[in-house]
Amino acid sequence: MSTFWSIWVIVLTLANLALVAWILFANRRVAVSDQEDPENRTTGHVYDGIEEYDNPLPRWWFLLFVATLVFTGIYLAIYPGLGNFKGFSGWTSVGQLENEEAKAREQFDETFGRYVEMSVEEIADNREALKMGARIFANNCAVCHGADGGGNYGFPNLTDNDWLYGGSPEDILKTIHDGRQGTMPPQGAVIGEEGVRNAAEYVLALNGLEHDTAMAAEGQKIFGAVCHVCHGADGKGNQAMGAPNLTNNIWLYGGSREQIQHTVRSGRSNEMPKQEDKLREDKIKLVAGYVYSLSRQEEVQQ
C-alpha cells in the first residue's frame, strides 16, 4: 500500500472512531431544558399520543458501547488495520497460513510419512496403503485413466500390463513423479496419402487384423524406412522412447483402419503431467504402489 493510501485509511478510520465516540458521549447529556417544569424532558415530538423523551442511554448500555470502542482500539493496536501499521503482535495472514500448513504437514507426516521409506512393492502388498493409494488415485488420476484405471481414449489402460515407458516400480514412480511427454510426428507430408494407407495396412497386418496384402507389402517398405526408428524393426515398440508396441492389438487412439490412418497422417501428442509439484512424495509413492498393484492383478489372472 502506498504512503498516501496508508495515511488515508488511518485518518478515515480514526476519524470515524472519534465521531462515534463524540456521538456516544454527547448523548449522555439531556439536551431538553424546561425552566418552568424541570421534570419535563420531552422533546415536543408527539405521534399518535406517544411523546418522545430526551433520556440518556441506560448506564449498562452506554458502558457496553464504551467497551466496544476500547476493544476496537486494542484490536487496531495488536493487529494490522491502520494502513501500513503492522500491529504490535506482528500477525499476518501469510504467517497464519504458514502456521496452519505446518500443522497440516505434521498431521500428514503421522499418516503418510511412514510410506516414504517403503518400496513400491511393499506398498502394493500393504492393504492399508493400497486403500490410501486408491483414494489418491480417484482424486487425481481417475479423470484421465478412469475410476478403475482402465483408461480412456488417448489415456493408457493401467491394468493390462502393457506399458509405454515400462511397468517396473521404478518406471511407474518416475512417470508419476516427473510426467511424460509423448509425440507421434505426423507423416502425411513425408510419405503422402498413398503411403499413409499402405503403412496403416501393414500395421493392421502386424496385429493379425483384416488387411490388404498388396498394400501391406508396400507399407512394410515404408515402415522399414520411416517407422522402425521408433517402433523397432519388428514393430514391438521402444519403451525408452515411449513408442508403443504395434503388434499386440492394444491401442491408445483406436485400432480401426481409419483411426490408424489418422494417427499416421496427422500424428498424435499427449502428456502425462508431472505430479511432483502437486503431490507430496509419500502420496506419489502410494499412487505408484496402487498402479503397480493394478498391473499385478492381470498377472495373477493369467
Side-chain angles (χ1 to χ4, degrees), residues 7 11 13 31 34 38 61 83 100 140 159 196 205-206 209 218 229 231-232 234 259 286 290 294:
I7 294 174
V11 171
T13 302
D34 190 337
W61 202 346
E100 295 297 330
N140 297 274
T159 67
V196 168
L206 288 176
L209 301 174
E218 293 299 319
V229 176
H231 295 284
D234 57 1
Q259 289 170 320
L286 288 167
Y290 175 71
L294 292 177

PDB file of all heavy atoms in Angstrom, residues 7 11 13 31 34 38 61 83 100 140 159 196 205-206 209 218 229 231-232 234 259 286 290 294:
ATOM      1  N   ILE A   7      -2.026   6.613   4.777  1.00  0.00           N
ATOM      2  CA  ILE A   7      -2.466   7.751   5.597  1.00  0.00           C
ATOM      3  C   ILE A   7      -3.968   7.949   5.467  1.00  0.00           C
ATOM      4  O   ILE A   7      -4.675   8.243   6.444  1.00  0.00           O
ATOM      5  CB  ILE A   7      -1.700   9.025   5.171  1.00  0.00           C
ATOM      6  CG1 ILE A   7      -0.208   8.872   5.497  1.00  0.00           C
ATOM      7  CG2 ILE A   7      -2.269  10.255   5.874  1.00  0.00           C
ATOM      8  CD1 ILE A   7       0.641  10.013   4.981  1.00  0.00           C
ATOM      9  N   VAL A  11      -6.414   7.969   8.696  1.00  0.00           N
ATOM     10  CA  VAL A  11      -7.209   9.155   9.032  1.00  0.00           C
ATOM     11  C   VAL A  11      -8.702   8.832   9.004  1.00  0.00           C
ATOM     12  O   VAL A  11      -9.461   9.214   9.902  1.00  0.00           O
ATOM     13  CB  VAL A  11      -6.880  10.306   8.057  1.00  0.00           C
ATOM     14  CG1 VAL A  11      -7.853  11.470   8.248  1.00  0.00           C
ATOM     15  CG2 VAL A  11      -5.451  10.773   8.265  1.00  0.00           C
ATOM     16  N   THR A  13     -10.214   5.939   9.342  1.00  0.00           N
ATOM     17  CA  THR A  13     -10.602   5.014  10.422  1.00  0.00           C
ATOM     18  C   THR A  13     -10.686   5.732  11.759  1.00  0.00           C
ATOM     19  O   THR A  13     -11.673   5.602  12.498  1.00  0.00           O
ATOM     20  CB  THR A  13      -9.589   3.857  10.510  1.00  0.00           C
ATOM     21  OG1 THR A  13      -9.531   3.169   9.259  1.00  0.00           O
ATOM     22  CG2 THR A  13      -9.982   2.883  11.609  1.00  0.00           C
ATOM     23  N   ALA A  31     -30.483  17.213  26.591  1.00  0.00           N
ATOM     24  CA  ALA A  31     -30.449  18.474  25.846  1.00  0.00           C
ATOM     25  C   ALA A  31     -31.670  19.343  26.127  1.00  0.00           C
ATOM     26  O   ALA A  31     -31.618  20.566  26.039  1.00  0.00           O
ATOM     27  CB  ALA A  31     -30.347  18.185  24.348  1.00  0.00           C
ATOM     28  N   ASP A  34     -36.603  22.577  30.346  1.00  0.00           N
ATOM     29  CA  ASP A  34     -37.854  23.333  30.526  1.00  0.00           C
ATOM     30  C   ASP A  34     -37.757  24.055  31.873  1.00  0.00           C
ATOM     31  O   ASP A  34     -37.849  23.424  32.932  1.00  0.00           O
ATOM     32  CB  ASP A  34     -39.045  22.380  30.490  1.00  0.00           C
ATOM     33  CG  ASP A  34     -40.376  23.128  30.428  1.00  0.00           C
ATOM     34  OD1 ASP A  34     -40.405  24.305  30.839  1.00  0.00           O
ATOM     35  OD2 ASP A  34     -41.359  22.515  29.978  1.00  0.00           O
ATOM     36  N   PRO A  38     -38.990  21.673  35.303  1.00  0.00           N
ATOM     37  CA  PRO A  38     -37.701  20.964  35.171  1.00  0.00           C
ATOM     38  C   PRO A  38     -37.851  19.456  34.986  1.00  0.00           C
ATOM     39  O   PRO A  38     -36.968  18.807  34.433  1.00  0.00           O
ATOM     40  CB  PRO A  38     -36.991  21.294  36.502  1.00  0.00           C
ATOM     41  CG  PRO A  38     -37.643  22.553  36.976  1.00  0.00           C
ATOM     42  CD  PRO A  38     -39.067  22.455  36.533  1.00  0.00           C
ATOM     43  N   TRP A  61     -25.931   0.085  29.001  1.00  0.00           N
ATOM     44  CA  TRP A  61     -25.885   0.142  27.536  1.00  0.00           C
ATOM     45  C   TRP A  61     -24.738   1.075  27.094  1.00  0.00           C
ATOM     46  O   TRP A  61     -23.975   0.768  26.173  1.00  0.00           O
ATOM     47  CB  TRP A  61     -27.223   0.658  27.027  1.00  0.00           C
ATOM     48  CG  TRP A  61     -27.513   0.292  25.588  1.00  0.00           C
ATOM     49  CD1 TRP A  61     -26.638  -0.184  24.672  1.00  0.00           C
ATOM     50  CD2 TRP A  61     -28.769   0.370  24.945  1.00  0.00           C
ATOM     51  NE1 TRP A  61     -27.257  -0.407  23.485  1.00  0.00           N
ATOM     52  CE2 TRP A  61     -28.580  -0.081  23.616  1.00  0.00           C
ATOM     53  CE3 TRP A  61     -30.048   0.770  25.349  1.00  0.00           C
ATOM     54  CZ2 TRP A  61     -29.611  -0.113  22.690  1.00  0.00           C
ATOM     55  CZ3 TRP A  61     -31.074   0.728  24.432  1.00  0.00           C
ATOM     56  CH2 TRP A  61     -30.869   0.285  23.103  1.00  0.00           C
ATOM     57  N   GLY A  83      -3.750   1.165   7.842  1.00  0.00           N
ATOM     58  CA  GLY A  83      -2.813   1.376   6.746  1.00  0.00           C
ATOM     59  C   GLY A  83      -1.661   0.394   6.781  1.00  0.00           C
ATOM     60  O   GLY A  83      -1.851  -0.819   6.895  1.00  0.00           O
ATOM     61  N   GLU A 100      -0.656 -22.830   9.762  1.00  0.00           N
ATOM     62  CA  GLU A 100      -1.664 -23.869   9.520  1.00  0.00           C
ATOM     63  C   GLU A 100      -1.103 -24.963   8.611  1.00  0.00           C
ATOM     64  O   GLU A 100      -1.384 -26.153   8.810  1.00  0.00           O
ATOM     65  CB  GLU A 100      -2.911 -23.250   8.890  1.00  0.00           C
ATOM     66  CG  GLU A 100      -3.661 -22.268   9.776  1.00  0.00           C
ATOM     67  CD  GLU A 100      -4.214 -22.930  11.023  1.00  0.00           C
ATOM     68  OE1 GLU A 100      -4.533 -24.128  10.975  1.00  0.00           O
ATOM     69  OE2 GLU A 100      -4.329 -22.237  12.059  1.00  0.00           O
ATOM     70  N   ASN A 140      -7.048 -37.729  -8.159  1.00  0.00           N
ATOM     71  CA  ASN A 140      -6.078 -37.062  -9.019  1.00  0.00           C
ATOM     72  C   ASN A 140      -5.892 -37.698 -10.394  1.00  0.00           C
ATOM     73  O   ASN A 140      -5.526 -36.997 -11.344  1.00  0.00           O
ATOM     74  CB  ASN A 140      -4.713 -37.010  -8.319  1.00  0.00           C
ATOM     75  CG  ASN A 140      -4.727 -36.205  -7.050  1.00  0.00           C
ATOM     76  OD1 ASN A 140      -4.564 -34.992  -7.069  1.00  0.00           O
ATOM     77  ND2 ASN A 140      -4.925 -36.866  -5.913  1.00  0.00           N
ATOM     78  N   THR A 159      -4.180 -51.282 -16.325  1.00  0.00           N
ATOM     79  CA  THR A 159      -4.460 -52.598 -15.753  1.00  0.00           C
ATOM     80  C   THR A 159      -4.069 -53.751 -16.681  1.00  0.00           C
ATOM     81  O   THR A 159      -4.237 -54.913 -16.305  1.00  0.00           O
ATOM     82  CB  THR A 159      -5.963 -52.734 -15.425  1.00  0.00           C
ATOM     83  OG1 THR A 159      -6.719 -52.737 -16.645  1.00  0.00           O
ATOM     84  CG2 THR A 159      -6.428 -51.574 -14.557  1.00  0.00           C
ATOM     85  N   VAL A 196       0.379 -43.318 -46.462  1.00  0.00           N
ATOM     86  CA  VAL A 196      -0.378 -43.409 -45.210  1.00  0.00           C
ATOM     87  C   VAL A 196      -1.265 -44.645 -45.217  1.00  0.00           C
ATOM     88  O   VAL A 196      -1.306 -45.425 -44.256  1.00  0.00           O
ATOM     89  CB  VAL A 196      -1.227 -42.136 -45.003  1.00  0.00           C
ATOM     90  CG1 VAL A 196      -2.233 -42.346 -43.864  1.00  0.00           C
ATOM     91  CG2 VAL A 196      -0.343 -40.941 -44.689  1.00  0.00           C
ATOM     92  N   ALA A 205      -1.779 -55.638 -40.463  1.00  0.00           N
ATOM     93  CA  ALA A 205      -1.226 -56.981 -40.665  1.00  0.00           C
ATOM     94  C   ALA A 205      -0.404 -57.421 -39.461  1.00  0.00           C
ATOM     95  O   ALA A 205      -0.439 -58.599 -39.065  1.00  0.00           O
ATOM     96  CB  ALA A 205      -0.366 -56.996 -41.928  1.00  0.00           C
ATOM     97  N   LEU A 206       0.340 -56.511 -38.866  1.00  0.00           N
ATOM     98  CA  LEU A 206       1.141 -56.856 -37.692  1.00  0.00           C
ATOM     99  C   LEU A 206       0.275 -57.372 -36.548  1.00  0.00           C
ATOM    100  O   LEU A 206       0.733 -58.164 -35.718  1.00  0.00           O
ATOM    101  CB  LEU A 206       1.935 -55.628 -37.213  1.00  0.00           C
ATOM    102  CG  LEU A 206       3.116 -55.170 -38.076  1.00  0.00           C
ATOM    103  CD1 LEU A 206       3.718 -53.889 -37.502  1.00  0.00           C
ATOM    104  CD2 LEU A 206       4.191 -56.257 -38.157  1.00  0.00           C
ATOM    105  N   LEU A 209      -5.019 -58.459 -38.128  1.00  0.00           N
ATOM    106  CA  LEU A 209      -6.340 -57.958 -38.473  1.00  0.00           C
ATOM    107  C   LEU A 209      -6.535 -57.993 -39.983  1.00  0.00           C
ATOM    108  O   LEU A 209      -5.573 -58.110 -40.752  1.00  0.00           O
ATOM    109  CB  LEU A 209      -6.513 -56.528 -37.944  1.00  0.00           C
ATOM    110  CG  LEU A 209      -6.359 -56.348 -36.431  1.00  0.00           C
ATOM    111  CD1 LEU A 209      -6.414 -54.875 -36.048  1.00  0.00           C
ATOM    112  CD2 LEU A 209      -7.425 -57.137 -35.670  1.00  0.00           C
ATOM    113  N   GLU A 218       3.654 -52.987 -49.475  1.00  0.00           N
ATOM    114  CA  GLU A 218       4.226 -51.666 -49.721  1.00  0.00           C
ATOM    115  C   GLU A 218       4.418 -50.903 -48.409  1.00  0.00           C
ATOM    116  O   GLU A 218       5.403 -50.184 -48.227  1.00  0.00           O
ATOM    117  CB  GLU A 218       3.302 -50.878 -50.655  1.00  0.00           C
ATOM    118  CG  GLU A 218       3.208 -51.440 -52.064  1.00  0.00           C
ATOM    119  CD  GLU A 218       4.561 -51.433 -52.768  1.00  0.00           C
ATOM    120  OE1 GLU A 218       5.304 -50.437 -52.615  1.00  0.00           O
ATOM    121  OE2 GLU A 218       4.881 -52.438 -53.448  1.00  0.00           O
ATOM    122  N   VAL A 229      12.540 -46.671 -36.713  1.00  0.00           N
ATOM    123  CA  VAL A 229      13.453 -45.933 -35.828  1.00  0.00           C
ATOM    124  C   VAL A 229      12.876 -45.850 -34.419  1.00  0.00           C
ATOM    125  O   VAL A 229      13.607 -45.970 -33.424  1.00  0.00           O
ATOM    126  CB  VAL A 229      13.717 -44.518 -36.380  1.00  0.00           C
ATOM    127  CG1 VAL A 229      14.584 -43.723 -35.405  1.00  0.00           C
ATOM    128  CG2 VAL A 229      14.377 -44.588 -37.745  1.00  0.00           C
ATOM    129  N   HIS A 231       9.587 -47.500 -33.484  1.00  0.00           N
ATOM    130  CA  HIS A 231       8.798 -48.679 -33.129  1.00  0.00           C
ATOM    131  C   HIS A 231       9.567 -49.986 -33.255  1.00  0.00           C
ATOM    132  O   HIS A 231       9.025 -51.041 -32.894  1.00  0.00           O
ATOM    133  CB  HIS A 231       7.543 -48.741 -34.001  1.00  0.00           C
ATOM    134  CG  HIS A 231       6.591 -47.610 -33.757  1.00  0.00           C
ATOM    135  ND1 HIS A 231       5.781 -47.547 -32.650  1.00  0.00           N
ATOM    136  CD2 HIS A 231       6.347 -46.477 -34.470  1.00  0.00           C
ATOM    137  CE1 HIS A 231       5.053 -46.439 -32.694  1.00  0.00           C
ATOM    138  NE2 HIS A 231       5.376 -45.766 -33.782  1.00  0.00           N
ATOM    139  N   GLY A 232      10.800 -49.930 -33.740  1.00  0.00           N
ATOM    140  CA  GLY A 232      11.597 -51.143 -33.878  1.00  0.00           C
ATOM    141  C   GLY A 232      11.302 -51.853 -35.187  1.00  0.00           C
ATOM    142  O   GLY A 232      10.216 -51.719 -35.770  1.00  0.00           O
ATOM    143  N   ASP A 234      10.676 -54.891 -35.690  1.00  0.00           N
ATOM    144  CA  ASP A 234       9.574 -55.854 -35.562  1.00  0.00           C
ATOM    145  C   ASP A 234       8.266 -55.202 -35.136  1.00  0.00           C
ATOM    146  O   ASP A 234       7.262 -55.887 -34.925  1.00  0.00           O
ATOM    147  CB  ASP A 234       9.964 -56.955 -34.574  1.00  0.00           C
ATOM    148  CG  ASP A 234      10.350 -56.385 -33.203  1.00  0.00           C
ATOM    149  OD1 ASP A 234      10.301 -55.140 -33.030  1.00  0.00           O
ATOM    150  OD2 ASP A 234      10.694 -57.181 -32.306  1.00  0.00           O
ATOM    151  N   GLN A 259      -8.745 -44.938 -37.905  1.00  0.00           N
ATOM    152  CA  GLN A 259      -8.014 -44.351 -36.785  1.00  0.00           C
ATOM    153  C   GLN A 259      -6.506 -44.498 -36.950  1.00  0.00           C
ATOM    154  O   GLN A 259      -5.740 -43.583 -36.635  1.00  0.00           O
ATOM    155  CB  GLN A 259      -8.481 -45.003 -35.476  1.00  0.00           C
ATOM    156  CG  GLN A 259      -9.896 -44.591 -35.076  1.00  0.00           C
ATOM    157  CD  GLN A 259     -10.432 -45.409 -33.924  1.00  0.00           C
ATOM    158  OE1 GLN A 259     -10.216 -46.624 -33.842  1.00  0.00           O
ATOM    159  NE2 GLN A 259     -11.156 -44.766 -33.015  1.00  0.00           N
ATOM    160  N   LEU A 286       2.420 -43.820  -2.718  1.00  0.00           N
ATOM    161  CA  LEU A 286       1.186 -44.584  -2.532  1.00  0.00           C
ATOM    162  C   LEU A 286       0.472 -44.818  -3.865  1.00  0.00           C
ATOM    163  O   LEU A 286      -0.028 -45.919  -4.118  1.00  0.00           O
ATOM    164  CB  LEU A 286       0.265 -43.851  -1.562  1.00  0.00           C
ATOM    165  CG  LEU A 286       0.695 -43.869  -0.090  1.00  0.00           C
ATOM    166  CD1 LEU A 286      -0.092 -42.858   0.719  1.00  0.00           C
ATOM    167  CD2 LEU A 286       0.539 -45.261   0.496  1.00  0.00           C
ATOM    168  N   TYR A 290      -0.251 -48.355  -5.817  1.00  0.00           N
ATOM    169  CA  TYR A 290      -1.595 -48.745  -6.253  1.00  0.00           C
ATOM    170  C   TYR A 290      -1.596 -49.108  -7.738  1.00  0.00           C
ATOM    171  O   TYR A 290      -2.183 -50.120  -8.142  1.00  0.00           O
ATOM    172  CB  TYR A 290      -2.575 -47.611  -5.972  1.00  0.00           C
ATOM    173  CG  TYR A 290      -3.966 -47.877  -6.490  1.00  0.00           C
ATOM    174  CD1 TYR A 290      -4.784 -48.827  -5.901  1.00  0.00           C
ATOM    175  CD2 TYR A 290      -4.459 -47.170  -7.590  1.00  0.00           C
ATOM    176  CE1 TYR A 290      -6.059 -49.079  -6.376  1.00  0.00           C
ATOM    177  CE2 TYR A 290      -5.734 -47.417  -8.070  1.00  0.00           C
ATOM    178  CZ  TYR A 290      -6.527 -48.372  -7.470  1.00  0.00           C
ATOM    179  OH  TYR A 290      -7.780 -48.617  -7.950  1.00  0.00           O
ATOM    180  N   LEU A 294      -2.395 -52.736  -9.721  1.00  0.00           N
ATOM    181  CA  LEU A 294      -3.373 -52.953 -10.782  1.00  0.00           C
ATOM    182  C   LEU A 294      -2.810 -53.852 -11.876  1.00  0.00           C
ATOM    183  O   LEU A 294      -3.489 -54.740 -12.390  1.00  0.00           O
ATOM    184  CB  LEU A 294      -3.797 -51.606 -11.394  1.00  0.00           C
ATOM    185  CG  LEU A 294      -4.610 -50.656 -10.507  1.00  0.00           C
ATOM    186  CD1 LEU A 294      -4.888 -49.352 -11.252  1.00  0.00           C
ATOM    187  CD2 LEU A 294      -5.910 -51.299 -10.068  1.00  0.00           C
TER     188      LEU A 294
END
